[in-house]
Amino acid sequence: MTKARDIMTKNPQCVRTSEAVLDAARRMADLSVGALPICGEDNRLKGMLTDRDIVVEVLAAGKDPRAIQAGDLAQGEAVTIGADDEAEEILRTMREHKVRRLPVIDGHELVGIVAQADVARSLTDPKVGDLLEALSTD
């Protein structure tokens, strides 16, 4: 079976909890990604920061992206998967939590990110349809 470590993007870059949202947005643009893991000074995962979070929680709310820290947007405990979790478990977790990207953890270390497209490429056609439908509905 396909495991998270087989399909993940390795060595993800973190945005620190203390970094300004503006700097995080610039890094997203430089990397051409729509999300970055938020890591504390202890290198532990604190959450995920998405381009949507920046738009809705900062810009649309009239807040200054230079003054808001990435850690301010970390909400609760991050939904993660283990490096040895199989594609079916990844699919279930994405569907259950309605997320398109999952940080991959090995022990306590962030080792990768699995995106919806990564899972879709590793599943059979009917399962891909189920994933897309589950993530596209409210």
Side-chain angles (χ1 to χ4, degrees):
M1 286 295 284
T2 302
K3 297 184 184 245
R5 71 174 70 251
D6 301 326
I7 61 173
M8 69 185 185
T9 299
K10 295 174 175 65
N11 304 315
Q13 286 196 24
C14 283
V15 59
R16 296 284 169 206
T17 53
S18 59
E19 280 186 68
V21 168
L22 180 61
D23 295 331
R26 287 181 176 145
R27 185 163 323 137
M28 284 182 190
D30 290 345
L31 296 170
S32 296
V33 297
L36 287 171
I38 303 170
C39 297
E41 302 309 317
D42 59 359
N43 287 330
R44 296 254 176 136
L45 182 68
K46 305 297 183 192
M48 289 290 286
L49 178 66
T50 67
D51 47 9
R52 185 177 192 285
D53 295 332
I54 294 169
V55 170
V56 173
E57 302 294 326
V58 179
L59 300 177
K63 298 176 184 174
D64 182 354
R66 294 171 296 208
I68 304 297
Q69 295 179 337
D72 296 337
L73 300 180
Q75 300 172 3
E77 190 171 327
V79 177
T80 64
I81 52 164
D84 291 319
D85 286 351
E86 295 180 358
E88 293 291 329
E89 176 65 15
I90 299 166
L91 172 65
R92 186 194 64 71
T93 303
M94 285 182 164
R95 202 181 305 145
E96 181 178 314
H97 295 279
K98 294 202 178 268
V99 295
R100 290 178 168 82
R101 301 168 194 95
L102 286 170
V104 180
I105 304 296
D106 193 358
H108 293 291
E109 183 182 353
L110 175 67
V111 295
I113 301 283
V114 172
Q116 174 183 344
D118 301 324
V119 179
R121 283 190 293 270
S122 71
L123 296 172
T124 61
D125 289 341
K127 299 266 186 211
V128 172
D130 292 346
L131 172 62
L132 295 176
E133 181 180 344
L135 294 178
S136 298
T137 59
D138 290 329

